[in-house]
Amino acid sequence: MLVAGAVFALSVLQVACEPPGSVHSIIPNPLSVERAGGEPVQVSDSTWIVIDAGDAQVRRIGELLSALIGNTIETQPPVVDAPADGATPRIRLTLQGAPDSLGSEGYALNVTPDEIVIQGGGVAGLFYGVQTLRHLLPPLVEYSAAHVRPLPVPALRVVDRPRYAWRGAMLDVSRHFLPPEDVERFIDWMALYKLNRLHLHLADDQGWRIEIPSWPALTEQGASTEVGGRGGGFYTTAEYAALVRYADEHFVTIVPEIDMPGHTNAALASVPELNCDGVAPPLYTGTEVGFSALCPSKEVTYQFLDDVIGEISAHTTGAWFHVGGDEVRTISDDEYAGFIERVQAIVASHGKRLVGWDEVASAPLRPGSIVQVWRPLWRRDGEAADDTATAAAATRFREDLLRAAASGSQVLLSPADRLYLDMKYDVTTVLGLTWAGVVDVRRAYDWEVSEVFAGLPAESVVGVEAPLWSETLGTLSDFEYMAFPKLAGVAELGWSAPARRSWHEYRLRLGAQAPRWTALGLNFARSPLVPWAPIL
């Protein structure tokens, strides 16, 4: 009776968490989902996980799946290189047989009464197929202490691949520092929704957050505080390298950012010679911007940046280094352009590609550079700029961006009035800001790149990224609350084809995430726009 009752409870939970009239609750919405008839397939401790023989990467993914299904060593199903006996239920993970059209991040998932098969176009695709299977398992699988089995999985076939190569989120750990274990937890949430770039904003006016052994004052002085004057902190070289490894294991690439030449007061306060007058300013714990800049005319500035970029790049496996470049108000346009030209040469000398906020488009950029659009200056038809100056700035920005794209730069979209996660959900939200407007769950999700950024060549858009600035966020719980549920929608915006996205259907799948997030202990905002599934 206990087993029967548990199976009944699982069935009820599965129904409660599936959107009415939908075939699934998967986010991001796959390219194709076909639901088969019949009873759900039951997954349990005895469901063997069969992998490609001798493939260590596939084995690691199999072990991740085993740890999800069983919450103790004794209850984790075996991961084997050879098929089990024909009568034994099994999940097969393989890099064989996936269509070439799926690419390295695509996968095919087939759930039948005989077995569950996930075919990855590459190792990343296999990992994402496992994440989709995770979405199909009942949310209670996420509880680390409870162990109710078997777990029903609906019979269906999924064929899937991402729309964009870059599907990212940014954590501002400079204004308020997050310890490594909190960043790892955020990486876990990203991986669940197939996000693959974590942009770490490691230095700003309020704090320097990464050890540079050749310039120890940066962390001795610059890491000692944060917004409001409390706390502070930094990642040692070993801690940063460990974060990079952890992210890589979850198919998330870390993109480090050292903002320059502006947003640099923490560095200026730590190293006096970086100031044009050689005098270090006091540490800063406020939130105003635009008042600081490295001295562009001093050679020590570029020696310093060569050391910083080189030491961080040596521990970064990804291909990119973000140089900031935004809101620089204390140097001339010519000085700014010359600075960016020199910096991109330094970045290239350390084997990385330059990423910068959209102001860098005003400088000559090398092909392959990435311009990250943050300003909400391109509007839908019918929307007018607030004044002549704003309209003129928008025109210049458009011209700079199109020129950069025509010269071989790629464009990463993070418009503040859509994708800044720290914008308040509504006027009553305690956390967050409103300078770019109020961004609720629908506004973050329900827009199309080709409409808002008309005229930008589609092939130049590398993807989307949702920044999470931390002026008002002090704890991981705060970061989670402002990130979710909006970040799930950003993941779908970056992954799913436009024809597979509909707000009215998505909001039902989004509401079905509530039991899973609750089981995971994720702090999320319960938007009134979403019909949240009950917590059973």
Side-chain angles (χ1 to χ4, degrees):
M1 287 300 295
L2 179 60
V3 173
V7 173
F8 175 76
L10 278 171
S11 300
V12 170
L13 183 60
Q14 187 79 4
V15 171
C17 295
E18 288 183 0
S22 176
V23 297
H24 66 83
S25 58
I26 304 165
I27 296 176
N29 201 14
L31 183 66
S32 171
V33 181
E34 298 177 5
R35 186 85 177 248
E39 295 297 315
V41 176
Q42 303 297 326
V43 173
S44 70
D45 308 355
S46 60
T47 303
W48 288 31
I49 299 173
V50 181
I51 62 171
D52 293 339
D55 194 314
Q57 294 186 86
V58 177
R59 172 168 288 280
R60 186 178 65 81
I61 294 173
E63 290 170 350
L64 290 173
L65 178 58
S66 177
L68 176 68
I69 295 171
N71 62 345
T72 68
I73 297 297
E74 294 76 20
T75 60
Q76 290 174 6
V79 180
V80 299
D81 287 346
D85 181 86
T88 303
R90 65 191 184 211
I91 300 171
R92 184 155 58 92
L93 307 180
T94 180
L95 297 178
Q96 308 300 317
D100 292 341
S101 60
L102 296 184
S104 63
E105 292 188 303
Y107 65 91
L109 166 64
N110 198 25
V111 182
T112 70
D114 296 325
E115 66 178 352
I116 298 172
V117 179
I118 303 176
Q119 298 167 295
V123 181
L126 193 64
F127 178 81
Y128 294 140
V130 167
Q131 298 311 306
T132 293
L133 177 59
R134 183 177 177 180
H135 279 253
L136 294 171
L137 290 166
L140 62 77
V141 73
E142 309 291 353
Y143 285 109
S144 59
H147 185 70
V148 180
R149 302 295 185 273
L151 301 162
V153 179
L156 47 69
R157 177 168 174 77
V158 176
V159 178
D160 203 8
R161 66 172 182 267
R163 179 186 188 188
Y164 289 123
W166 191 299
R167 307 175 303 279
M170 188 213 80
L171 287 178
D172 172 19
V173 295
S174 180
R175 291 182 175 89
H176 280 103
F177 180 68
L178 287 178
E181 60 270 21
D182 287 353
V183 178
E184 289 181 355
R185 183 174 167 91
F186 197 84
I187 290 169
D188 292 340
W189 307 150
M190 292 179 63
L192 178 59
Y193 293 96
K194 304 182 178 74
L195 292 158
N196 68 347
R197 302 283 187 270
L198 175 58
H199 171 181
L200 285 180
H201 186 76
L202 292 166
D204 211 299
D205 291 316
Q206 299 84 356
W208 185 282
R209 304 301 181 203
I210 186 166
E211 179 185 20
I212 305 297
S214 61
W215 297 82
L218 291 169
T219 47
E220 292 171 356
Q221 175 80 348
S224 63
T225 190
E226 58 188 20
V227 167
R230 307 187 320 273
F234 66 94
Y235 307 116
T236 66
T237 298
E239 287 172 335
Y240 176 73
L243 277 177
V244 170
R245 287 194 300 272
Y246 187 87
D248 286 346
E249 290 169 357
H250 293 77
F251 297 90
V252 173
T253 299
I254 286 183
V255 181
E257 178 190 355
I258 299 296
D259 211 341
M260 61 183 84
H263 288 272
T264 50
N265 194 80
L268 297 173
S270 304
V271 185
E273 54 265 42
L274 298 178
N275 297 271
C276 286
D277 61 5
V279 178
L283 291 169
Y284 181 70
T285 61
T287 59
E288 294 300 317
V289 300
F291 62 89
S292 64
L294 299 171
C295 189
S297 62
K298 296 177 74 170
E299 196 61 30
V300 68
T301 294
Y302 303 100
Q303 296 170 2
F304 166 77
L305 292 175
D306 190 32
D307 290 341
V308 168
I309 293 169
E311 291 187 25
I312 296 174
S313 295
H315 300 285
T316 302
T317 56
W320 304 276
F321 193 99
H322 202 301
V323 301
D326 60 317
E327 299 176 315
V328 185
R329 299 170 184 168
T330 60
I331 65 176
S332 70
D333 291 347
D334 287 344
E335 287 176 319
Y336 178 83
F339 177 90
I340 295 299
E341 284 197 81
R342 288 201 64 174
V343 165
Q344 66 180 330
I346 294 172
V347 170
S349 74
H350 293 289
K352 303 300 182 186
R353 292 168 53 189
L354 179 141
V355 187
W357 298 109
D358 58 46
E359 287 93 333
V360 302
S362 64
L365 297 177
R366 298 185 178 198
S369 300
I370 296 179
V371 179
Q372 185 169 5
V373 175
W374 68 270
R375 286 179 284 187
L377 294 179
W378 284 11
R379 302 160 184 266
R380 292 180 184 271
D381 293 340
E383 289 188 277
D386 297 332
D387 53 50
T388 302
T390 302
T395 298
R396 287 194 301 273
F397 169 53
R398 180 192 295 267
E399 291 172 351
D400 288 343
L401 191 60
L402 291 177
R403 182 171 55 252
S407 299
S409 292
Q410 295 178 301
V411 178
L412 175 60
L413 299 178
S414 302
D417 56 343
R418 297 285 179 168
L419 297 188
Y420 269 33
L421 299 175
D422 55 299
M423 293 299 105
K424 292 178 182 287
Y425 291 97
D426 58 44
V427 294
T428 68
T429 308
V430 175
L431 302 173
L433 303 172
T434 59
W435 65 265
V438 170
V439 180
D440 60 24
V441 178
R442 180 170 186 174
R443 185 167 179 80
Y445 173 85
D446 195 16
W447 63 286
E448 173 47 38
V449 169
S450 61
E451 295 176 9
V452 178
F453 290 86
L456 186 65
E459 62 274 13
S460 69
V461 178
V462 69
V464 295
E465 180 179 293
L468 183 52
W469 300 99
S470 66
E471 287 94 334
T472 68
L473 313 181
T475 67
L476 177 62
S477 180
D478 294 342
F479 279 80
E480 290 176 347
Y481 185 84
M482 295 307 293
F484 287 92
K486 286 189 282 190
L487 189 57
V490 176
E492 182 149 309
L493 185 67
W495 181 280
S496 304
R500 298 293 293 167
R501 293 192 295 108
S502 162
W503 163 251
H504 297 291
E505 186 273 338
Y506 166 74
R507 63 192 286 269
L508 302 178
R509 285 185 287 114
L510 182 60
Q513 308 303 305
R516 190 173 305 276
W517 290 348
T518 300
L520 287 167
L522 176 68
N523 184 32
F524 64 98
R526 290 180 170 271
S527 168
L529 302 177
V530 177
W532 298 103
I535 308 302
L536 300 182

